């Protein structure tokens, strides 16, 4: 059995990477793939238009800030989960990718505290 | 001719033997036992996730490495954006409003804030869609569709890089009326259409006080890394660094896509039997789009 035969045998379920590791990669093709892509596109477009639309309304700046951050995370979710197909990966891998960003939340937290302290020191209060 | 055939055979033998040794699922994950037969090349489910013999994450090593690189790259961009946020918070009084800075649109003379950057965002989202359609075509082993969608992605990437160059040009060039930079680095902007009125810290100044500022301040138009006519010079520094770093990512992505596109036209992935390379490049390209979503929010919207 040559290398090529083994690859053809598994054509429907996955493929061998064909490099020195020649790892078998299971592949599950979503028949609704195209519909999901266009649905994601419309969501991203409508959210972006909505953001630009409310930027010029009389909503207070502080409220707008939180709305924008929330909508940005919504857009990031759709890009990562549907365009980058993270949703199709195993849960263990999803957590491996997502959980390290808790450190960024912590970074924002300490940067705000340091920033406030720095302002007080430099203005002499 | 003979030489070529011989070397090819040696390569195949070497390769085939290596594939046997590099497939540890043989004999229930016991790497050190001899391969029993060629039947062992078929995929076998291991009993334990971390017991060896298969990817613990059920993902190819190439895609996993790309994901881990993107996580590290996301940390770099996050650090830059957090630094930007902290200093913007600290200097909020003198921080320029992006809606006053980026008001240009090609062939239109009116002020249209957010319109051009909105168009840039649309171009990048659109190129993300064409990229994911290329990945989808790759799943279906449709070489022609992969070439088409990847080609459109490259065009979208070039359009975005061009738009960014245009945006930089107008930021560096500045407005016609300019501004006066004072000794304490605060900026008094000249009101558009009214040369005698200056705007300092949101307040309009006219008459003798304005003349005094004009006499002592330094007239400046546009922006560089040391000063800009819109306000705090850090705004320019962060703008150039973060959008520049992102633009460099886009440019690298376009070059990588271009190389992959030539490979697709060459039929390399058709011969290989799978289009994983498109998926890996696609991951990078979507990440570039993802970063722009954050840059768009924190530089232009907020």
């Amino acid at each position: 059995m040559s290398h090529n035969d083994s690859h053809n045998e598994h054509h429907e379920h996955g493929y061998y990477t064909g490099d020195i590791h020649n790892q078998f990669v299971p592949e599950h093709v979503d028949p609704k793939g195209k519909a999901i892509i266009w649905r994601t596109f419309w969501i991203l477009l409508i959210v972006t238009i909505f953001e630009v639309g409310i930027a010029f309304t009389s909503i207070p700046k502080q409220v707008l800030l939180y709305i924008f951050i929330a909508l940005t995370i919504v857009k990031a979710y759709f890009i990562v989960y549907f365009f980058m197909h993270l949703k199709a990966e195993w849960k263990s891998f999803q957590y491996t990718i997502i959980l390290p960003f808790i450190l960024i939340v912590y970074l924002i937290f300490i940067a705000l505290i340091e920033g406030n302290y720095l302002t007080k020191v430099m203005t002499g209060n | 001719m003979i030489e070529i055939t011989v070397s090819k055979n040696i390569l195949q033998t070497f390769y085939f033997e290596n594939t046997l040794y590099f497939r540890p699922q043989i004999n229930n994950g016991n790497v050190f036992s001899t391969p029993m037969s060629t039947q062992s090349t078929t995929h076998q489910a291991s009993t334990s996730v971390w017991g060896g013999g298969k990817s613990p994450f059920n993902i190819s090593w190439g895609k996993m490495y790309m994901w881990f690189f993107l996580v590290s790259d996301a940390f770099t961009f996050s650090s830059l954006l957090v630094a930007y946020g902290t200093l913007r918070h600290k200097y909020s009084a003198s921080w320029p409003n992006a809606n006053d800075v980026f008001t240009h649109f090609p062939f239109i003379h009116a002020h249209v804030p957010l319109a051009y950057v909105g168009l840039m965002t649309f171009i990048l989202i659109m190129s993300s869609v064409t990229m994911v359609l290329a990945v989808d075509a790759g799943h279906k082993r449709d070489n022609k569709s992969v070439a088409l969608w990847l080609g459109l992605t490259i065009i979208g990437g070039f359009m975005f890089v061009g738009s960014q160059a245009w945006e930089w040009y107008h930021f560096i060039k500045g407005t016609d009326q300019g501004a006066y930079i004072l000794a304490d680095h605060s900026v008094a902007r000249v009101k558009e259409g009214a040369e005698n009125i200056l705007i300092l810290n949101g307040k309009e100044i006219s008459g003798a006080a304005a003349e005094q500022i004009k006499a002592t301040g330094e007239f400046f138009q546009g922006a560089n890394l040391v000063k800009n006519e819109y306000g705090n010079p850090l705004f320019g520094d962060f703008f150039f660094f973060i959008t520049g770093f992102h633009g460099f990512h886009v440019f690298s992505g376009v070059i990588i896509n271009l190389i992959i596109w030539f490979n697709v036209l060459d039929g390399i992935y058709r011969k290989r039997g799978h289009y994983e390379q498109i998926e890996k490049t696609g991951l990078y390209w979507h990440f570039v789009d993802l970063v722009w979503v954050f840059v768009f929010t924190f530089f232009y919207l907020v």
Side-chain angles (χ1 to χ4, degrees), chain A residues 38-105:
Chain A
W38 286 110
R39 191 197 68 176
T40 310
F41 164 73
W42 285 115
I43 290 169
L44 291 175
L45 188 65
I46 288 165
V47 169
T48 306
I49 290 170
F50 178 74
E51 281 180 329
V52 173
I54 62 167
F56 300 107
T57 57
S58 57
I59 300 169
K61 280 271 170 197
Q62 202 64 30
V63 179
L64 272 181
L65 175 69
Y66 290 113
I67 293 174
F68 285 145
I69 289 172
L71 289 176
T72 303
I73 291 167
V74 167
K75 285 198 283 186
Y77 166 77
F78 279 102
I79 290 172
V80 173
Y81 270 68
F82 295 101
F83 278 176
M84 296 167 92
H85 297 118
L86 189 61
K87 203 180 171 68
E89 307 295 353
W90 279 8
K91 273 274 181 284
S92 56
F93 191 69
Q94 292 182 18
Y95 291 135
T96 307
I97 297 301
I98 300 298
L99 288 184
F101 288 93
I102 290 171
L103 290 171
I104 299 301
V105 177

Side-chain angles (χ1 to χ4, degrees), chain B residues 205-231:
Chain B
I205 298 166
S206 57
E211 290 304 315
Q212 174 69 21
I213 289 172
K214 279 187 181 182
T216 54
E218 182 202 352
F219 182 68
F220 192 72
Q221 283 169 299
N224 58 34
L225 287 172
V226 190
K227 49 196 162 186
N228 75 64
E229 63 158 276
Y230 305 99

Side-chain angles (χ1 to χ4, degrees), chain A residues 15-16 18 22-23 27 72, chain B residues 15 23 41 61 141 276 297:
Chain A
Y15 55 86
Y16 285 101
N22 208 25
Q23 182 194 349
E27 200 178 26
T72 303
Chain B
Y15 194 78
R23 223 180 269 154
T41 52
W61 63 272
R141 310 287 189 266
E276 194 187 297
T297 299

